[in-house]
Amino acid sequence: MPRITITDCRPSLEPCTESGWTAWDCFTSGPLDDKFILSLRPLGNFTYLQSLARPFFKIQTDTYFIKGVKGTPTFRIAIPGEERTPVDGLIAFISGLR
C-alpha cells in the first residue's frame, strides 16, 4: 500500500479567527488510514476513537490542534494567530514521520 502524503494545505473555509486561532485544511494523497493516524502520536496529547462508525482522531498541544476522520483525504490543523510558518513546520515534521 502506498504511503499517504500531504499534497496541499490551505486556509480552512471554516476559520476560527474569533477565538484567535487560524485553521488550515490539509489534503492527502489518499484516505487517512490507521497507519497514518497512529504515526501522529508523537505530536502531542493523542486521542483516537477507533470504535465509532466514523473513527476520528485529535492531537492537542498548547500551540496547535490537529484533527481528522479516518477514511477521509483531509485533516485540519489549528494554530494561534495567522502565521503560516508553524503549519509548514508541522507538515514537514508529519511528512518525515513514516
Side-chain angles (χ1 to χ4, degrees), residues 38-50:
L38 293 172
S39 75
L40 302 176
R41 284 183 289 197
L43 293 174
N45 186 6
F46 181 81
T47 302
Y48 184 26
L49 300 176
Q50 293 176 286

Side-chain angles (χ1 to χ4, degrees), residues 3 24 29 32 36 46 49 54 60 62-63 67 73 80 94:
R3 182 179 119 158
W24 300 81
S29 60
L32 303 180
F36 179 86
F46 181 81
L49 300 176
R54 294 192 63 204
Q60 182 176 346
D62 292 339
T63 56
K67 64 180 183 174
I94 291 169

Side-chain angles (χ1 to χ4, degrees), residues 1-22:
M1 176 178 287
R3 182 179 119 158
I4 294 172
T5 59
I6 299 169
T7 58
D8 192 16
C9 194
R10 48 185 107 129
S12 177
L13 296 176
E14 299 176 23
C16 42
T17 52
E18 68 278 352
S19 65
W21 289 65
T22 302

Side-chain angles (χ1 to χ4, degrees), residues 19-37:
S19 65
W21 289 65
T22 302
W24 300 81
D25 291 328
C26 296
F27 300 86
T28 59
S29 60
L32 303 180
D33 59 13
D34 285 330
K35 184 176 181 179
F36 179 86
I37 294 168

